[in-house]
Amino acid sequence: MQIFIDSGDIDEIREAMSWGVVDGVTTNPSLVRAASLKRGIVDLKEYLSEICNVAGRGRPVSLEVMGTNCEQMVKEAKIIYDKFNTVAKNVVVKIPVTTKGIEEDEFEGIKAIRQLDSRGIPVNATLIMTPMQAMLAAKAGAKYVSPFLGRIDDYVRQKSGINFKKEDYFDTTTLRRNANDDALNFNEGILSGIELLLRIRKSFANYNIKAKVIAASIRNTRQAEESMEAGAEIITAPYEVIKNMTLHTKSEEGIKLFVEDAKKAKYSELFS
Ligand code: G3P
């Protein structure tokens, strides 16, 4: 299983790469905007080049287009790829799976994925909220599909009138136990991001689909753990969530005790 950092912040990305267990980077316009506001980025081209460089060869960096029709997306994807892939040969272009609500034709993203695949440009299909979207993106040639687990949890909780904070773990089991049939079916029976992930994984296995699934929009370590258990090939998570992956109060307590006992046992003599 691979772990990507979902961030547009170069310091976070650099630090995460230094841990030696982070295998790639995903960005999106919102993350780049947040970094831009925080850091006052002046030269975006230079900044994104540096992100590609810090990630380094063999660690994919997803960079998103801003256009919404096929022609624009393909044009921008080629520009992004030509500009940044020279840095460390690690660029993947992020394309939204649907353009419904903006363009007349909701298939603009799918068409763009097909064209980019035929040009050899790797695509990460983003904003995946259903197994069918994931399948269409994979059929069109996406190398990665990114179901947004946290946003599905948000949607289900909002529809169910559940109050929550963004980082809260979502207990679907209790919801299933208490919900009536209408509530159980409003989102095609998918009541959490993890359920979405499981259904995509099962559908891909049925047809031996090669696209890799990136569990995205991860909000807490428990959701990351459940994604791992559900077989996500990749989990992309914010810096703080990855940091929290090493933590447990008993580990903390244990290391303090070992350090104290090592002193008492005169362990230092072993190393002199
Ligand atoms: O990788 C997708 C991610 O950036 C979206 O996360 O927390 O805004 O839903 P979030």
Side-chain angles (χ1 to χ4, degrees):
M1 189 206 64
Q2 294 193 314
I3 298 174
F4 289 3
I5 177 166
D6 193 32
S7 175
D9 188 306
I10 188 83
D11 290 338
E12 289 183 357
I13 295 168
R14 191 175 281 115
E15 171 76 10
M17 289 299 158
S18 78
W19 300 329
V21 288
V22 173
D23 309 286
V25 181
T26 51
T27 70
N28 63 37
S30 309
L31 293 170
V32 173
R33 178 166 183 266
S36 199
L37 289 174
K38 180 174 155 199
R39 316 180 62 91
I41 296 168
V42 273
D43 185 337
L44 196 57
K45 182 173 180 265
E46 202 177 288
Y47 186 74
L48 294 180
S49 296
E50 189 53 16
I51 289 183
C52 295
N53 186 37
V54 165
R57 230 181 160 114
R59 281 183 285 275
V61 176
S62 289
L63 301 172
E64 191 158 343
V65 295
M66 65 174 287
T68 50
N69 69 49
C70 174
E71 201 186 318
Q72 282 168 347
M73 286 191 270
V74 170
K75 190 173 157 207
E76 289 171 11
K78 285 198 300 199
I79 294 173
I80 285 176
Y81 195 73
D82 290 346
K83 269 200 174 110
F84 300 110
N85 197 50
T86 48
V87 177
K89 303 254 174 291
N90 55 359
V91 169
V92 173
V93 179
K94 247 178 159 181
I95 301 284
V97 70
T98 186
T99 45
K100 168 97 178 133
I102 300 187
E103 299 290 337
E104 233 167 78
D105 184 352
E106 51 272 62
F107 272 81
E108 297 290 323
I110 294 293
K111 289 190 292 190
I113 294 170
R114 168 67 76 210
Q115 288 190 26
L116 291 168
D117 180 53
S118 66
R119 286 176 162 86
I121 296 182
V123 170
N124 173 359
T126 189
L127 288 168
I128 302 270
M129 308 291 170
T130 74
M132 218 58 243
Q133 289 177 327
M135 185 58 83
L136 293 179
K139 273 177 72 68
K143 293 280 171 292
Y144 303 92
V145 297
S146 292
F148 273 33
L149 275 53
R151 294 206 191 173
I152 288 294
D153 286 0
D154 292 347
Y155 181 59
V156 175
R157 284 183 282 197
Q158 281 152 3
K159 288 276 187 187
S160 314
I162 299 169
N163 290 325
F164 63 96
K165 291 200 291 294
K166 191 176 175 185
E167 66 279 12
D168 286 349
Y169 172 74
F170 179 34
D171 176 8
T172 331
T173 316
T174 311
L175 180 75
R176 272 207 178 278
R177 207 178 299 128
N178 297 325
N180 60 29
D181 284 353
D182 285 351
L184 290 177
N185 285 318
F186 81 90
N187 191 34
E188 299 182 6
I190 297 174
L191 290 196
S192 75
I194 295 295
E195 290 184 7
L196 169 63
L197 173 62
L198 284 164
R199 282 175 57 169
I200 294 172
R201 291 273 307 146
K202 187 157 186 252
S203 309
F204 278 19
N206 286 345
Y207 300 98
N208 203 16
I209 300 286
K210 296 281 177 268
K212 289 187 174 165
V213 182
I214 305 181
S217 180
I218 294 286
R219 308 284 176 71
N220 52 65
T221 50
R222 195 159 162 188
Q223 196 182 32
E225 280 159 12
E226 289 180 8
S227 299
M228 179 166 69
E229 202 180 331
E233 280 104 342
I234 301 156
I235 294 170
T236 189
Y239 177 78
E240 284 304 326
V241 174
I242 304 178
K243 269 190 102 167
N244 288 342
M245 288 176 187
T246 61
L247 306 181
H248 193 280
T249 182
K250 293 301 284 181
S251 308
E252 225 175 286
E253 185 187 292
I255 184 67
K256 281 182 188 151
L257 187 63
F258 287 157
V259 168
E260 278 166 26
D261 284 344
K263 275 186 208 148
K264 287 177 193 158
K266 300 203 171 57
Y267 248 49
S268 55
E269 286 172 13
L270 292 176
F271 311 113
S272 58

